[in-house]
């Protein structure tokens, strides 16, 4: 479906979308005048293209004192895919691997071979983003999708050489390109050595903390397992401890670490009757 819609778009449509992309941080709905100016497409032509894209639900048009345009999730995803394609980083889009409330995940062929392309659908309001909103005013929700993708990419970059996460290959718009892991979600498998796996997970979470990252949504759904090992995925909500500015933010990060570990430990307790003392582990990690 995405590949088909992608093939239908022509040069003029991509240029008009460039005009929206370049200005979406400054305008919730980018004025058509600005789109025309930055894309080099005459205003009356740009308007025609925008109307077509709006009929196809790839952008949203809004008439206030001026006519303005913003992406939809689908429009931004196609545009982000095109940024990878025109840089020759992604050469073919494959099957949809999954779609949930928070993302749409495809496999694809990339410069590095088979890979995963994850399109972010939501923006999280971490404290960093709350600050940002205060500083920059009202942003369109698609800007927040881009922030989520950037946040996931940055966390993977910081972690991948030391922690078991997919290798991050690239970030464009709301899309993150990463290594394909051939494994199943933890909740779908029956482990033979649950205690050993839980101990390993705890060590990896400690390593993440040392590298300055808290996952923020750790659970049996965001850990992949196969006979060779385990991988952590899904980092849009990750907290970067280097960006923390106040004691209150640090306390929030510690609470989120506690919640991540408590969730996982209680999954292992309920599923495998493995008992470990969550509070003691959290305290130990905080000290490390
Ligand atoms: P969401 O927040 O939308 O759940 P995830 O990052 O958890 O997004 O991805 C959704 C699903 O896509 C995962 O449960 C997993 O099955 C698959 N997936 C995501 N990233 C990868 C990857 N790098 N390799 C293999 N499968 C992946």
């Amino acid at each position: 479906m995405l590949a088909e819609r992608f093939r239908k778009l022509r040069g003029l449509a991509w240029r008009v979308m460039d005009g929206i992309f370049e200005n979406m941080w400054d305008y919730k709905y980018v004025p058509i005048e600005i789109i025309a100016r930055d894309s080099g497409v005459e205003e009356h032509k740009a308007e025609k293209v925008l109307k077509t894209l709006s009929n196809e639900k790839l952008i949203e048009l809004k008439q206030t004192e001026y006519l303005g345009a913003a992406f939809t999730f689908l429009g931004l995803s196609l545009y982000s895919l095109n940024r990878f394609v025109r840089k020759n980083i992604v050469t073919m889009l494959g099957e949809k691997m999954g779609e949930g409330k928070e993302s749409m995940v495809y496999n694809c062929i990339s410069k590095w071979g088979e890979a995963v392309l994850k399109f972010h659908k939501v923006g999280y309001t971490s404290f960093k983003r709350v600050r940002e909103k205060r500083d920059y005013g009202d942003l369109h929700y698609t800007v927040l999708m881009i922030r989520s993708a950037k946040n996931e990419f940055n966390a993977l970059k910081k972690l991948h050489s030391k922690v078991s996460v997919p290798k991050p290959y690239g970030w464009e718009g709301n899309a993150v390109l990463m290594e394909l892991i051939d494994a199943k979600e933890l909740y779908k498998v029956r482990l033979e050595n649950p205690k050993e796996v839980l101990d390993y997970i705890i060590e990896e979470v400690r390593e993440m903390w040392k590298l300055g990252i808290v996952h923020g949504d750790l659970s049996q759904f965001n850990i992949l397992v196969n006979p060779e090992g385990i991988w952590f995925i899904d980092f849009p909500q990750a907290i970067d401890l280097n960006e923390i500015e106040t004691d209150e933010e640090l306390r929030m990060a510690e609470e989120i670490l506690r919640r991540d570990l408590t969730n996982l430990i209680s999954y292992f307790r309920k599923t495998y009757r493995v008992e470990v003392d969550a509070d003691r582990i959290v305290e130990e990690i905080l000290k490390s």
Side-chain angles (χ1 to χ4, degrees):
M1 196 284 265
L2 208 58
E4 224 166 85
R5 311 240 358 208
F6 184 85
R7 272 196 295 273
K8 280 198 195 140
L9 291 165
R10 294 286 166 259
L12 215 52
W14 294 127
R15 275 166 63 193
V16 166
M17 286 194 259
D18 281 336
I20 302 175
F21 187 75
E22 281 158 26
N23 294 288
M24 62 194 285
W25 283 265
D26 299 324
Y27 300 92
K28 193 164 181 184
Y29 292 89
V30 183
I32 183 158
E33 249 184 271
I34 307 266
I35 297 175
R37 185 196 69 197
D38 285 5
S39 60
V41 178
E42 285 171 60
E43 206 171 309
H44 73 278
K45 270 198 199 156
E47 186 166 342
K48 257 177 84 179
V49 172
L50 287 170
K51 294 238 156 87
T52 311
L53 293 175
S54 158
N55 288 335
E56 290 170 3
K57 305 245 182 315
L58 301 183
I59 64 154
E60 241 179 82
L61 284 177
K62 189 160 174 166
Q63 179 76 52
T64 49
E65 304 100 80
Y66 59 82
L67 182 65
F71 282 113
T72 59
F73 164 65
L74 194 59
L76 178 62
S77 301
L78 286 169
Y79 178 76
S80 304
L81 169 62
N82 191 45
R83 289 177 70 91
F84 277 123
V85 170
R86 64 189 178 196
K87 291 178 180 170
N88 293 320
I89 293 177
V90 170
T91 48
M92 209 199 304
L93 194 69
E95 299 282 301
K96 193 196 274 189
M97 296 169 67
E99 178 162 11
K101 273 208 311 276
E102 300 179 347
S103 73
M104 180 166 79
V105 178
Y106 273 81
N107 69 21
C108 68
I109 305 294
S110 75
K111 248 166 75 172
W112 298 270
E114 213 181 339
V116 163
L117 200 49
K118 176 174 170 182
F119 299 96
H120 287 253
K121 270 192 192 174
V122 245
Y124 293 98
T125 34
S126 73
F127 30 79
K128 187 174 143 218
R129 254 145 264 143
V130 171
R131 269 205 311 261
E132 210 164 67
K133 211 162 176 176
R134 215 166 42 220
D135 296 345
Y136 298 109
D138 205 10
L139 296 166
H140 193 262
Y141 64 88
T142 48
V143 173
L144 304 178
M145 295 174 185
I146 296 174
R147 288 282 185 241
S148 284
K150 181 184 181 197
N151 205 45
E152 171 154 84
F153 182 67
N154 285 344
L156 293 176
K157 259 199 336 202
K158 288 205 167 158
L159 297 174
H160 87 274
S161 60
K162 296 227 172 86
V163 178
S164 187
V165 297
K167 261 197 220 92
Y169 296 140
W171 159 56
E172 294 289 347
N174 70 330
V176 177
L177 182 70
M178 65 181 105
E179 181 187 5
L180 173 76
I181 306 292
D182 186 12
K184 286 192 176 135
E185 291 90 345
L186 178 61
Y187 78 96
K188 286 188 183 157
V189 296
R190 183 79 202 164
L191 297 172
E192 280 167 18
N193 51 347
K195 175 75 170 70
E196 211 178 299
V197 171
L198 178 59
D199 287 345
Y200 178 74
I201 290 173
I202 291 169
E203 282 320 303
E204 292 282 275
V205 171
R206 184 198 307 278
E207 192 58 36
M208 288 189 218
W209 176 262
K210 285 198 203 154
L211 294 167
I213 300 286
V214 179
H215 183 288
D217 188 25
L218 212 53
S219 72
Q220 61 275 28
F221 305 103
N222 288 332
I223 294 179
L224 301 180
V225 189
N226 73 15
E228 273 98 66
I230 73 151
W231 286 263
F232 297 87
I233 59 166
D234 202 13
F235 285 80
Q237 312 189 53
I239 294 166
D240 187 333
L241 299 175
N242 294 313
E243 286 173 358
I244 279 179
E245 287 181 1
T246 63
D247 287 347
E248 191 194 344
E249 289 176 357
L250 180 61
R251 270 198 302 281
M252 279 167 70
E254 290 173 356
E255 272 325 297
I256 292 167
L257 174 79
R258 185 181 303 279
R259 191 188 62 199
D260 273 358
L261 281 166
T262 313
N263 280 346
L264 266 181
I265 288 172
S266 90
Y267 173 75
F268 275 85
R269 182 183 315 115
K270 284 187 209 137
T271 315
Y272 297 108
R273 307 201 174 286
V274 170
E275 294 290 341
V276 300
D277 181 348
D279 285 335
R280 184 181 54 81
I281 284 165
V282 172
E283 295 318 316
E284 270 174 25
I285 292 181
L286 290 179
K287 272 190 252 144
S288 60

